[in-house]
């Protein structure tokens, strides 16, 4: 606001939103161009325009100012949407895709037929829409329902606008609570954090303060304690020591620590959290950790064996047959792993790249198949499952699809309805978090053999726990660690440098044709160079497709060389705006046909068996009229998203290294800058390098690279699985 403006009342500007030039997703700050009847040129407006869409007529409240660089502009303090009052405005409004079922063609026909009465007709006599050529009862019904829903959502949005809640969240609140939305928001705002995806404690807390809930209210403190534990699980912990929880919650809530113990005691009494000695858990994580430990021990000690043949097999003969079949001989460590997997009911196989994990798994599967065993191969991601199937020649599934997870996350297969399998092999097991590992292990039938395969030196799971590391630390679990790097792998710069980094030694570049460094010290210049390398230099030199074959992996999402900023630059390069082609803006992002995207939450309602966090795909269709966007996933499934579901998707030209776990790409580009200093850790860089099948290109600062190699990862997570296994 201009300083002199505070003393005078705000101006009101009525205009049609033509386009959004810039949107900051975090603050809602927007630069937009609007059409006003007094001017033939578009006017610039700036300020918080959360939720406004092109085509809407807006009543803007604020002040005119003069920017030294951008000239005259209107600074918006608040706005409301209004229905357009001119033929042209109504046509633009209806044709912009704001009302589901009406696109530009039908907008033209409807307005031509009803003129200035169009919106009144839709509001009060929608049955008359069938008078318009081409509008049958089905489409009329859809338009009527969409109009009513949008009207109700607008009411919720007007109420929420004062506390800065985005449109997509307002839509979700309405879809969850319907006509009770405003009542829930006013009376039980902390319920939103538990019930509505995308609303965390902080948003609920902002709403709570706006509706007058006291800062030191016990309800607020209890909600804050659960939020603090939820944040801890997001950071990988299964529990927090009571001392840490008290200190963290007091800081987050900005209340005296003395308020915490009584509220924590109440929360424990209400079974909102579980206390075990000095460890405080959210209920699902306590149950999962107890269940996973007891089920693994039970499987390990079960007397029956669904593969009894391997206890008295002639191993010399079996391994000779295997050699004839594969043409390769197992190393001593590999042979040990094969025997272990086929004779022990729970076993772990770990090792770095080039150490023969894949061939060992294939050998285990070959021998089990020869004895007619029922084999189930599984991995946490679609890409990893696909790779496992190609490696072994046997079908493989993701954990989610294998267990047939239902809406709400319950599995079809569980302890009461176990899988029909003799051998279950889980690849990329370092990605298994506590909750998913528990669901999987509960579905293993007694007597079956479970083999967990993974590289324990990679990043731990995105979700809570470090299951693979905890199993390797438990003496009760049989395991083999492969350490021998095979000759062919030793010739790869990718493999040798992965091992060098894992040992705390800097990578070598001289004389290598598959591992490069483009040095650059400036962060923004590094981002530009990353785009140039991925979009032009690598395709030109190696014949790679920048969208299909090359993946940019970043230490962080934020910052000039983070995944967020790089996705904007890469989209401009690979899928730029083209006049006449539809696109859909969401906050500061815009979706176009051809975009590479990734799902960022589990959604059990979508697709044949749900769409899960980390699923990658390409946008193949976008319909403003139906308000849907279509994605073809890397599992070759077509998934439709309503426009109000697009915050489940993120662009994936660049992704964080954490999100890349379990995937492999022909080539990876890794920008390393000192601005990501806190994230520069050895296991992060090691994980990024091991995602590449053929080629790694590092772009950025030698100092940042040295820091990543030198810095051992953050301390251990708070887990008790090893202790529970005994």
């Amino acid at each position: 606001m201009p300083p002199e403006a505070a003393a005078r009342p705000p101006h009101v500007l009525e205009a049609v939103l033509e386009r959004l030039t810039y949107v900051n997703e975090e603050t809602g700050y927007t630069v937009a161009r609007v059409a006003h009847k007094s001017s033939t040129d578009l006017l610039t407006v700036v300020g918080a325009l959360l939720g406004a869409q092109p085509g809407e007529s807006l009543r803007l409240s604020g002040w005119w100012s003069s920017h030294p660089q951008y000239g005259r502009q209107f600074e918006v303090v608040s706005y409301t949407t209004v229905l357009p009052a001119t033929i042209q405005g109504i046509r633009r409004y209806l044709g912009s895709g704001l009302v589901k079922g009406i696109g530009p063609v039908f907008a033209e026909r409807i307005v031509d037929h009803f003129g200035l009465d169009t919106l009144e007709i839709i509001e009060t006599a929608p049955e008359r829409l069938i008078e318009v050529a081409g509008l049958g009862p089905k489409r009329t019904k859809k338009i009527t329902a969409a109009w009513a829903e949008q009207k109700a959502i607008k009411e919720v949005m007007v109420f929420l606008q004062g506390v800065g809640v985005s449109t997509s969240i307002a839509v979700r609140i309405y879809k969850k609570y319907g006509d009770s939305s405003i009542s829930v928001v006013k009376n039980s705002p902390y319920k939103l954090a538990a019930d509505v995806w995308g609303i965390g404690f902080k948003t609920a807390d902002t709403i709570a303060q706006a509706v007058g809930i006291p800062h030191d209210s016990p309800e607020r403190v209890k909600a804050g304690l659960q939020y603090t534990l939820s944040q801890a699980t997001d950071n990988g912990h299964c529990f927090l020591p009571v001392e840490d929880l008290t200190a963290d919650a007091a800081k987050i809530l900005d209340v005296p620590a003395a308020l915490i113990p009584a509220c924590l005691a109440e929360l424990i009494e209400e079974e909102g959290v579980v206390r075990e000695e000095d460890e405080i858990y959210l209920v699902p994580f306590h149950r999962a950790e107890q269940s996973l430990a007891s089920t693994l021990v039970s499987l390990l000690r079960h007397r029956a064996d669904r593969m009894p043949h391997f206890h008295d097999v002639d191993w010399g003969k079996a391994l000779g047959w295997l050699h004839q079949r594969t043409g390769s001989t197992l190393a001593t460590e590999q042979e040990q792993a094969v025997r272990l997997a086929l004779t022990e009911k729970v076993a772990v196989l770990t090792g770095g790249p080039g150490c023969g994990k894949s061939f060992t798994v294939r050998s285990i599967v070959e021998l089990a198949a020869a004895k007619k065993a029922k084999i189930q191969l599984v991995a946490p991601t679609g890409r990893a499952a696909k790779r496992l199937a190609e490696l072994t020649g046997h079908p493989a599934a993701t954990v989610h699809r294998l267990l047939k997870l239902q809406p709400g996350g319950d599995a079809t297969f569980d302890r009461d309805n176990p899988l029909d399998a003799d051998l279950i092999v889980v690849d990329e097991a370092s990605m298994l978090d506590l909750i998913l590992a528990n669901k999987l292990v509960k579905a293993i039938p007694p007597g079956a053999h479970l083999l967990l395969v993974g590289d324990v030196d990679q990043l731990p799971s995105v979700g809570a726990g470090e299951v693979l590391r905890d199993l390797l630390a438990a003496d009760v679990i049989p395991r083999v660690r492969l350490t021998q790097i095979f000759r062919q792998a030793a010739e790869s710069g990718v493999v040798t440098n992965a091992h060098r980094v894992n040992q705390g030694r800097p990578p070598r570049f001289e004389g290598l044709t598959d591992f490069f460094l483009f040095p650059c010290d400036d962060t923004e210049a590094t981002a530009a160079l990353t785009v140039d390398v991925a979009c032009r230099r690598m395709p030109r030199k190696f014949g790679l497709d920048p969208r299909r074959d090359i993946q940019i992996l970043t230490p962080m999402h934020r910052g000039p060389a983070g995944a967020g900023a790089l996705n904007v630059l890469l989209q401009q390069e690979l899928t730029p705006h083209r006049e006449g082609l539809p696109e859909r803006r969401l906050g500061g992002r815009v979706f176009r046909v051809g975009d590479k995207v990734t799902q960022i939450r589990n959604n059990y309602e979508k697709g044949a068996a749900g769409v899960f966090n980390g699923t990658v795909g390409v946008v193949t269709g976008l319909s403003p009229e139906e308000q849907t966007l279509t994605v073809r996933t890397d599992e070759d499934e077509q998934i439709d998203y309503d426009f109000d579901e697009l915050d489940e998707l993120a662009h994936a030209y660049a992704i964080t290294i954490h999100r890349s776990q379990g995937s492999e790409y022909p080539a990876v580009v890794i920008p390393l800058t000192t601005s990501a200093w806190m994230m520069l850790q050895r296991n992060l860089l090691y994980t990024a390098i091991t995602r590449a099948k053929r080629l790694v290109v590092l772009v950025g600062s030698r100092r940042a690279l040295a820091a990543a190699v030198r810095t051992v990862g953050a301390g251990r997570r708070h887990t008790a699985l090893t202790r529970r296994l005994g």
Side-chain angles (χ1 to χ4, degrees), residues 326-355:
T326 62
S328 301
T329 304
L330 291 167
T332 306
E333 292 171 335
Q334 292 176 309
E335 190 178 312
Q336 186 189 348
V338 169
R339 290 185 188 222
L340 199 70
L342 296 172
T343 57
E344 295 284 357
K345 296 190 194 75
V346 178
V348 175
L349 170 62
T350 190
C355 292

Side-chain angles (χ1 to χ4, degrees), residues 410-474:
D410 292 329
T412 302
F413 292 103
D414 57 15
R415 191 171 280 116
D416 299 324
N417 181 35
L419 297 160
D420 182 18
D422 304 322
L423 171 66
I424 297 94
V425 179
V426 186
D427 198 13
E428 296 287 356
S430 62
M431 291 182 69
L432 280 183
D433 61 42
L434 174 66
I435 300 290
L436 192 58
N438 180 49
K439 287 184 195 295
L440 174 61
V441 169
K442 279 198 298 188
I444 307 293
H449 289 229
L450 171 64
L451 174 66
L452 295 155
V453 183
D455 183 351
V456 74
D457 294 323
Q458 286 185 23
L459 289 168
S461 57
V462 174
E466 39 189 2
V467 173
L468 187 64
R469 186 178 296 280
D470 285 349
L471 294 182
L472 285 165

Side-chain angles (χ1 to χ4, degrees), residues 298-313 315 339-346 368 371 373-374 421-424 444-450:
S298 172
L299 288 172
L300 197 57
R301 294 177 180 164
H302 195 76
R303 293 184 67 179
D305 193 332
R306 291 181 62 132
M307 294 201 300
H309 349 277
F310 291 103
H311 287 287
D312 51 10
V313 76
W315 282 104
R339 290 185 188 222
L340 199 70
L342 296 172
T343 57
E344 295 284 357
K345 296 190 194 75
V346 178
K371 294 293 185 183
K374 293 175 181 173
D422 304 322
L423 171 66
I424 297 94
I444 307 293
H449 289 229
L450 171 64

Side-chain angles (χ1 to χ4, degrees), residues 559-582:
L566 281 170
N567 271 317
V568 173
L569 297 173
L570 289 158
Q571 185 191 42
Q572 287 168 2
E573 195 69 41
L574 298 172
T575 320
H577 168 77
R578 288 193 170 86
E579 203 60 50
L581 291 183

